[in-house]
Amino acid sequence: MSSVDSNPSSLLEVKDLHVYFPIRGGVMRRQLHTVKAVSGVSLNLAQGEVLGLVGESGCGKTTLGRALVGLAPMTSGRVFFNAKELHHKNGKSSNHAMKMQLIFQDPYSSLHPRKQVRDLVGEGLLINGLARVEELDEKVLDILEKVGLGVDHLYRYPHEFSGGQRQRISLARALILKPELIILDEPTSALDVSVQAQILNMLKGLQKEYNLTYLFISHDLSVVRYMSRRIGVMYLGNLVEIGPTRSVFENPKHPYTHSLLSALPSIKKGKRKERMILKGDPPTPIDPPPGCPFADRCSNTQEKCRIEKPVLEPLKKESSQLVACFFQNENVL
Amino acid sequence: MTAQNLTTVEVRMLRAESRKRALQDSWTLWKRNPVTIAGTLIILSLILIAMVAPWLATHDPFDQILADRLFPPSLDYWFGTDNLGRDIYSRVIHGSRLTLMIAFVVALISGPIGLVVGVLSGYLGGMVDEVLMRLSDIFLAFPKLILAIAFAAALEPGLTNAIIAISIANWPSYARLVRAETLAVRNSDYIDAVRILGAGHLRIMIYHLTPMCLSTLIVRVSLDMGTIILIAAGLGFLGLGAQPPAPEWGLMVSDGRNYLVDQWWVSTIPGIAILVVVLGFNLVGDGLRDILDPHQRQS
Ligand SMILES: Nc1ncnc2c1ncn2[C@@H]1O[C@H](COP(=O)(O)OP(=O)(O)OP(=O)(O)O)[C@@H](O)[C@H]1O
Ligand SMILES: [Mg+2]
C-alpha cells in the first residue's frame, strides 16, 4: 500500500511475484494441480532502460508480462510502478497502468478483425477521454507516421496488412497513450527475418526518441543482445540470472545460462566454448518439487539443491550481475 | 505528408474510399456465387411486389364473387379463384406484404434479444450465464413450431400474437449461438489488448464482442427467415395466426385443403409462394455467410 517500500529510482519494481494457475477437474471441480507459471520473480527496471528477458518456451515469460499489465492473476508479490503499488482488479487494469503497455507476440490475433486502423489505434484515447472523436484522425495519423505507416492506412482493416505492418499498428496503439514502459512479448518472433530487423531498428529508435523503458521478452539470444543493455534469464518460472548483457554473455554464472549460451556460435576467435547439452526432459511448471528449479538437469546437483531454493545474489559485492545458484563461484564453466 | 495539413476534406475522401473498397469486395463476393444472386433476386422481387401490390393485383383480394367460386386458372383469374370466389393471384400478391412483415418483425424482435442475452451470458459467465442458459434450455427442449403453437394458443389468436409467439420461440437459439461466439473471442488477444487500454466491461461487450457476433447472427437469422415464414404459415393454417379474411399464405393453404383433389390450385398456388420465398431466404443466407466473413476478403 505505502510507497515507502519501493526503490524511488526505478520505474518498475517487481518483488517476489508469483502467478499460479489452478488446474481443476474431476468431481466438484476440485483443484487437482497448480501450474506455477511464475514463482518468485523480483526485478527492477530503471527509467529508459531496456531489459531483455530470455528463457525457453513455457518458462513463464509471457505470463510475467501479462501479470504486470493485469491480464494474469498475481497470486502473491508486489509490483510498484512509478513508486505506486499496482492493484489489478479482475481483468481490468488499474488506472495508472495505462502508462504500461503490452505488445503481443502474435500480430495476427492482437488486432480486432472488424475495426479500422483509426479505431484500433485511437481507442485508447477515447477510452481515457484524451481526445474527442473529431480529433482522432489527426492524432492517430501523428502516431502512425512515427511507426512508419501513413495516411493511406488510416481506414484499412487488419486483414489488409502484413505481419510486420500489424506489429507497427499494435505499437502505435500502445504509443498513443504515451506509455513509460512497454512490455514487448517476442514482438518479432512471428515475422520474417528481414522484417524483424526493420521492426527491431524501429523499436530501438523509438526507445531513444522517447526515453522509453522496455521489458523485451524473447527466446532469441541474438535479438536480446542487440536490443538490451541488461538481460535476465528465466527458467521454470524463476529468474536464475540477471545482469549486464555483456557480462552475462561473456561470463555466465548459472549452469542454465551457460548451456543456453553454449548453443550460440561463439563470436570470439580462439575462445572455443564447450557445447553443453542439457540432460533430462524439458520441465513442466505443474506442481514443481521444492529446491532449485534446475536441479533435475544440472550437472552439479547436490543434496542442498533438492531441498532449498537458491535466491538471486550478487556475484561479488557491488556486482550488478545476480545469480541464483548455491555454487555460483564453484561453477567453473 | 504531415498531420497538420490533413484536412477534413481529405479525411472524408479517405473514408469514402474505404467504404467504396468494402462495397467492392462485397460486390465481388456476391457476384462470384450464382446461387446467392438467385436468392437475392427472389427476395428483392418479393420486396418490390409487396411495395407495389395494389398496382399488380387485378382484383380486390377481399371481393367475394360467389358465382365465380373455384374457377380454374384462366385469362380472367390468372391463378383461379378460391371457395369464396376471390381471385387467388391478387390474394397471393397482397399476402406477400403480410409474409414479409411477419418475417422481418420476428427477426427484429428475436435477433436483438438473442444478441443481448448471448453476449451477457458468454462474457459475464458464472451465475448470470447459468440462469440465462437454463432458461434458454427450457425453450430449446421443444421444437420451435410446437412452442410457437403453445404460446399462440395461450394468447388470443391473431397476427400480433402470432408474431410474439414466434419471437418467443425463436430467441433462445440465437442466444446460444451468440454465447458460443462470445466464448470463442472473449479471451482473445485483441480483447485483452483493449483491456490494457483501460476499456470497461460494457465497452468490451458493446464495441468489441457484439461486432464479432453480429455477422454470425445475421447469417443465422437470414437462414431462419424461411422457418419463421413456415411457422407463421403453420399458425395461420391452424387458425392461430392471421385471421380470415386476411390473405395470409398459410391461411390460404388451409382454406384450400378440402378442395385439394379437384381444385388443386386453391392450396398449391400459395404453397408455391411459400416455397419460393423460403428458398430465396436460404440462398441469401448462404451467400451472406461468405460475404460477411472477413477472412474471405483476403483472397
Ligand atoms: N491461463 C493459464 N492456465 C493454465 N496454465 C497456463 C496459463 N497460461 C500459461 N500457463 C502455463 O504457464 C506456463 C508458462 O507459460 P508462458 O506462456 O508464460 O510461457 P512462455 O515463456 O511465454 O513460453 P513461449 O516462449 O512459448 O511463449 C506454461 O506451462 C503454460 O502452460
Ligand atoms: Mg510466450
Side-chain angles (χ1 to χ4, degrees):
Chain A
M1 304 292 150
S2 67
S3 51
V4 191
D5 316 0
S6 81
N7 182 348
S9 67
S10 41
L11 177 67
L12 177 78
E13 192 174 1
V14 181
K15 285 186 167 174
D16 199 30
L17 179 68
H18 293 254
V19 180
Y20 295 170
F21 296 108
I23 297 182
R24 296 178 189 283
V27 196
M28 299 297 290
R29 299 190 24 87
R30 257 177 324 128
Q31 182 169 341
L32 300 177
H33 302 283
T34 308
V35 179
K36 301 194 173 181
V38 175
S39 46
V41 167
S42 302
L43 53 83
N44 278 311
L45 260 168
Q47 180 94 44
E49 187 186 23
V50 178
L51 173 66
L53 198 61
V54 294
E56 63 194 331
S57 187
C59 70
K61 308 183 294 292
T62 297
T63 307
L64 174 62
R66 288 175 64 88
L68 291 179
V69 295
L71 292 176
M74 292 186 200
T75 310
S76 67
R78 309 177 77 178
V79 176
F80 297 91
F81 183 63
N82 264 332
K84 284 199 210 80
E85 183 158 11
L86 292 188
H87 299 281
H88 294 296
K89 288 174 285 188
N90 47 27
K92 198 170 183 275
S93 303
S94 45
N95 223 4
H96 43 292
M98 199 179 87
K99 294 282 168 201
M100 189 197 297
Q101 288 295 321
L102 174 74
I103 303 295
F104 291 85
Q105 182 169 355
D106 181 1
Y108 293 92
S109 68
S110 54
L111 299 175
H112 197 293
R114 291 186 189 278
K115 293 208 178 286
Q116 295 173 333
V117 171
R118 178 192 103 112
D119 299 320
L120 287 166
V121 174
E123 174 120 39
L125 292 180
L126 293 181
I127 292 173
N128 295 291
L130 299 174
R132 281 171 294 131
V133 181
E134 311 90 73
E135 308 168 316
L136 214 56
D137 287 303
E138 211 158 282
K139 294 202 165 178
V140 169
L141 186 59
D142 266 340
I143 289 291
L144 283 184
E145 281 165 359
K146 292 279 190 295
V147 298
L149 297 172
V151 71
D152 306 340
H153 303 116
L154 211 50
Y155 286 97
R156 290 185 181 272
Y157 288 92
H159 68 78
E160 298 175 66
F161 292 95
S162 69
Q165 286 175 314
R166 286 176 190 225
Q167 273 320 44
R168 288 171 194 266
I169 297 169
S170 297
L171 203 64
R173 171 169 64 189
L175 283 176
I176 207 164
L177 289 175
K178 301 198 166 49
E180 291 172 88
L181 169 66
I182 303 183
I183 300 166
L184 298 142
D185 186 5
E186 310 199 30
T188 58
S189 67
L191 308 177
D192 288 347
V193 179
S194 59
V195 183
Q196 260 189 36
Q198 290 171 14
I199 300 282
L200 290 176
N201 284 328
M202 184 185 70
L203 284 170
K204 227 175 173 173
L206 289 168
Q207 191 264 332
K208 287 216 183 78
E209 189 178 344
Y210 296 105
N211 193 31
L212 292 168
T213 312
Y214 286 166
L215 179 60
F216 191 94
I217 298 171
S218 179
H219 56 240
D220 187 334
L221 286 166
S222 51
V223 167
V224 168
R225 179 158 57 184
Y226 174 70
M227 287 300 294
S228 48
R229 270 299 165 69
R230 216 151 65 93
I231 177 176
V233 180
M234 273 187 85
Y235 185 81
L236 208 58
N238 293 269
L239 202 58
V240 294
E241 183 158 5
I242 186 168
T245 308
R246 259 192 82 144
S247 51
V248 172
F249 267 81
E250 281 170 9
N251 193 16
K253 279 301 175 189
H254 196 280
Y256 176 65
T257 315
H258 183 72
S259 70
L260 262 189
L261 293 175
S262 73
L264 276 184
S266 175
I267 33 168
K268 281 202 182 123
K269 265 186 256 157
K271 192 181 172 189
R272 229 186 82 237
K273 278 193 228 160
E274 218 170 293
R275 186 81 193 264
M276 191 174 131
I277 311 281
L278 282 182
K279 55 179 181 150
D281 295 327
T284 77
I286 303 174
D287 300 330
C292 176
F294 194 55
D296 278 341
R297 295 167 91 187
C298 185
S299 56
N300 192 20
T301 308
Q302 318 226 345
E303 208 171 317
K304 191 180 181 190
C305 303
R306 301 250 178 224
I307 303 162
E308 205 182 317
K309 191 157 126 182
V311 292
L312 268 181
E313 276 168 341
L315 205 53
K316 297 183 226 71
K317 256 202 176 136
E318 299 298 306
S319 167
S320 51
Q321 189 173 354
L322 282 71
V323 185
C325 180
F326 293 121
F327 308 102
Q328 46 169 280
N329 294 315
E330 294 159 40
N331 290 336
V332 190
L333 300 167
Chain B
M1 169 163 316
T2 64
Q4 269 63 43
N5 53 38
L6 181 75
T7 62
T8 43
V9 181
E10 253 177 299
V11 170
R12 217 173 294 146
M13 232 172 59
L14 281 166
R15 233 178 263 179
E17 228 171 78
S18 112
R19 216 169 295 138
K20 204 174 114 200
R21 226 173 19 244
L23 278 177
Q24 262 168 0
D25 285 356
S26 305
W27 173 250
T28 319
L29 286 166
W30 182 78
K31 253 189 341 194
R32 208 160 61 183
N33 194 346
V35 173
T36 316
I37 299 177
T40 317
L41 290 182
I42 293 176
I43 302 307
L44 284 182
S45 5
L46 182 74
I47 292 172
L48 200 72
I49 289 171
M51 284 194 315
V52 298
W55 290 282
L56 285 179
T58 52
H59 293 73
D60 182 331
F62 302 105
D63 209 7
Q64 305 181 5
I65 304 173
L66 291 175
D68 294 352
R69 290 177 70 231
L70 299 170
F71 273 22
S74 64
L75 274 180
D76 200 16
Y77 300 111
W78 295 351
F79 291 165
T81 58
D82 65 8
N83 53 333
L84 294 174
R86 293 172 296 196
D87 178 40
I88 292 179
Y89 165 73
S90 303
R91 286 178 68 75
V92 167
I93 294 292
H94 276 275
S96 64
R97 291 183 156 188
L98 281 178
T99 301
L100 274 184
M101 193 265 283
I102 294 170
F104 282 114
V105 173
V106 169
L108 284 179
I109 296 174
S110 52
I113 294 178
L115 185 68
V116 171
V117 170
V119 169
L120 279 176
S121 199
Y123 183 74
L124 296 178
M127 272 310 281
V128 178
D129 183 33
E130 204 66 35
V131 170
L132 289 175
M133 283 306 111
R134 280 327 128 240
L135 190 67
S136 75
D137 278 347
I138 296 172
F139 285 86
L140 288 170
F142 303 96
K144 265 190 206 171
L145 179 60
I146 306 287
L147 208 58
I149 289 172
F151 281 113
L155 304 164
E156 294 248 299
L159 194 58
T160 315
N161 286 341
I163 289 173
I164 295 172
I166 302 172
S167 302
I168 293 175
N170 229 12
W171 71 265
S173 61
Y174 300 152
R176 279 272 162 193
L177 183 81
V178 171
R179 175 179 176 267
E181 189 78 19
T182 304
L183 284 178
V185 297
R186 168 177 89 165
N187 292 323
S188 60
D189 282 353
Y190 58 82
I191 299 295
D192 283 343
V194 294
R195 281 203 183 107
I196 304 175
L197 299 177
H201 298 310
L202 209 57
R203 187 182 189 93
I204 290 175
M205 285 192 274
I206 295 174
Y207 291 113
H208 298 273
L209 293 174
T210 303
M212 286 312 287
C213 302
L214 211 53
S215 54
T216 325
L217 183 65
I218 288 174
V219 170
R220 175 66 167 275
V221 170
S222 59
L223 286 171
D224 263 5
M225 289 290 216
T227 322
I228 295 171
I229 291 169
L230 282 178
I231 294 177
L235 291 180
F237 184 90
L238 293 172
L240 296 168
Q243 295 300 306
E248 202 269 322
W249 295 347
L251 200 59
M252 290 166 72
V253 173
S254 163
D255 285 344
R257 69 188 190 281
N258 293 330
Y259 314 98
L260 205 54
V261 181
D262 296 318
Q263 287 89 21
W264 54 268
W265 58 89
V266 182
S267 273
T268 311
I269 300 285
I272 291 173
I274 294 172
L275 179 88
V276 171
V277 175
V278 170
L279 186 72
F281 274 115
N282 275 312
L283 299 182
V284 168
D286 270 336
L288 275 180
R289 200 202 317 266
D290 294 343
I291 293 171
L292 292 176
D293 181 1
H295 300 292
Q296 288 280 333
R297 307 207 157 199
Q298 277 158 353
S299 44

